Amino acid sequence: MDLAAAHRLRAAEDRLRPRAVACHAAGPVGWRVAISFGNFVEVDCLGLQQNLQESALTFYLQLLRNRQIGCRQLPFLFHPFMHVESGPLAQSKNMFNPAPQAAPLRIEPAPKDTLGCMSSHLQRDQGLCANGVGIHRKTMALPHLHHVETEPSARGVLLGISMRDGHSRRIVAGRHASCHDFDRGSIYIRGFSERYRADIQRPFDFVLLEISQASLERAIEEKPGKRIGSLAHVAGARDEVLLNLAEALTPALENPACASMLFVEQLSVAMTSYLVETYGGAASSAPRTNRILSRSHEARAKEMLRSKFDGSISITEIADACGLSRSYFIHAFRETTGCTPHQWLIAQRLEHARALLMNPGTSLADIAAACGFADQSHFSRVFSQHSGVPPGIWRRRMRVEN
């Protein structure tokens, strides 16, 4: 490229947004890309790698359109011997008018999920929702260059918990950029109210909580002591408490059909309350003592739990019926009964199942349905975890003993 052409290319990059990007298959030389910057300069890129995936090409051209990379970076991204030419529009109109035999490739924006991740790059994309909190697990195992971007919205706050080592990302905020490393247990907290942009070059595995504004406001209202305004923005900090809670959520994400919504909401409430307490910027309040449910509250909570053996009742419903905050109710129930609401409900379901197992005419499938389990397999798995043997063997042992 001569000096004059280089100056024209630099001026086009610095002052103008690309107005058109055309891409055509070029036979054995790979891809042919032409970029128009207006009325005075175009760039023709020849000899792109033939084995370049179409999804990767689409991604880089999107970066180019959005001025997140410049034309001068294209040779290094695609091929070290790529030939780049530029010239006046009148002299290079053939760039956007290829020979008839060159079939044009239409470049469409790659589909992205609600969190700005390119869907085609995700090896794992799991999700649940629990009363205003969206819970996801997203994994990218291959080292794609990945760009994440979300526009400002009123969606609340996003918490990310890294489930593996070796991830890093470059976060762009306005004109400033910062790089952050994430190992297993590292977290980030960001609000949806601001535009978010990040360049990701290494594989990742995150459990993510999308906490709605209403859920966040409720957690703030329920926190004793001084009211906080918002959560701190965090990137790369390690938090063992959130890692342990995220690990407890992974079985439910792996098998949503067998997940107890009572259990999922219980964990999401605990994580949201912990976020407000730890990253809310207010001094921690003195620990509460004697958090015991009154007899009437205990009886009401147990009655409501028994009425929904399948766990479809929510912590919010029970706490509201008792006139208590959700986090206070969970702690008080545990101190009163010695177990969490979900653990207590599981114990009640298994007790009812053992009573039904004493009737030899009742099938395991019918017992599973009567006790609120998703299916016989789910019932057998939970029963074995708590009793040490599958329900069929337990039933035969009881017959022998009796």
Side-chain angles (χ1 to χ4, degrees), residues 49-256:
Q49 293 182 41
Q50 188 174 7
N51 62 353
L52 183 69
Q53 292 184 3
E54 182 177 332
S55 61
L57 178 63
T58 303
F59 176 57
Y60 288 125
L61 293 183
Q62 285 296 319
L63 293 181
L64 184 65
R65 285 193 184 99
N66 298 331
R67 293 193 64 194
Q68 291 158 0
I69 62 172
C71 288
R72 291 192 303 276
Q73 294 173 264
L74 279 173
F76 303 99
L77 288 171
F78 291 121
H79 198 287
F81 303 107
M82 187 176 69
H83 180 53
V84 179
E85 296 178 345
S86 67
L89 183 64
Q91 298 176 9
S92 56
K93 288 185 177 179
N94 61 322
M95 292 182 182
F96 285 84
N97 294 281
Q101 63 271 20
L105 172 68
R106 182 177 177 82
I107 302 297
E108 298 290 346
K112 293 192 174 186
D113 64 12
T114 58
L115 299 179
C117 295
M118 198 170 297
S119 302
S120 60
H121 288 178
L122 296 175
Q123 280 72 49
R124 181 193 282 127
D125 190 4
Q126 303 164 341
L128 286 170
C129 186
N131 208 359
V133 177
I135 304 167
H136 312 272
R137 187 171 186 182
K138 297 183 183 290
T139 303
M140 187 182 76
L142 301 177
H144 295 288
L145 176 60
H146 195 88
H147 180 74
V148 175
E149 182 171 351
T150 56
E151 295 298 326
S153 67
R155 288 164 57 184
V157 169
L158 184 67
L159 164 68
I161 305 149
S162 178
M163 307 302 288
R164 61 166 290 168
D165 293 330
H167 172 62
S168 63
R169 63 178 59 191
R170 176 176 175 268
I171 300 174
V172 181
R175 296 185 178 183
H176 303 283
S178 56
C179 295
H180 303 274
D181 295 324
F182 291 81
D183 289 324
R184 179 175 168 81
S186 299
I187 70 165
Y188 70 81
I189 305 169
R190 68 176 179 90
F192 283 106
S193 59
E194 299 176 1
R195 186 185 182 194
Y196 181 81
R197 292 178 293 163
D199 296 319
I200 298 171
Q201 295 183 341
R202 295 185 184 178
F204 63 79
D205 182 9
F206 276 92
V207 169
L208 301 142
L209 265 69
E210 183 178 344
I211 306 168
S212 68
Q213 193 62 38
S215 295
L216 181 61
E217 286 292 332
R218 174 155 187 170
I220 291 173
E221 290 290 342
E222 292 175 346
K223 178 186 178 297
K226 182 180 178 182
R227 178 183 171 84
I228 68 169
S230 60
L231 298 180
H233 285 205
V234 176
R238 187 171 179 81
D239 195 306
E240 291 290 339
V241 173
L242 289 174
L243 174 61
N244 292 333
L245 292 171
E247 287 177 331
L249 277 170
T250 54
L253 288 164
E254 290 286 348
N255 193 358

Side-chain angles (χ1 to χ4, degrees), residues 67 192 203 350 381 383:
R67 293 193 64 194
F192 283 106
L350 292 175
R381 185 167 62 254
F383 191 96

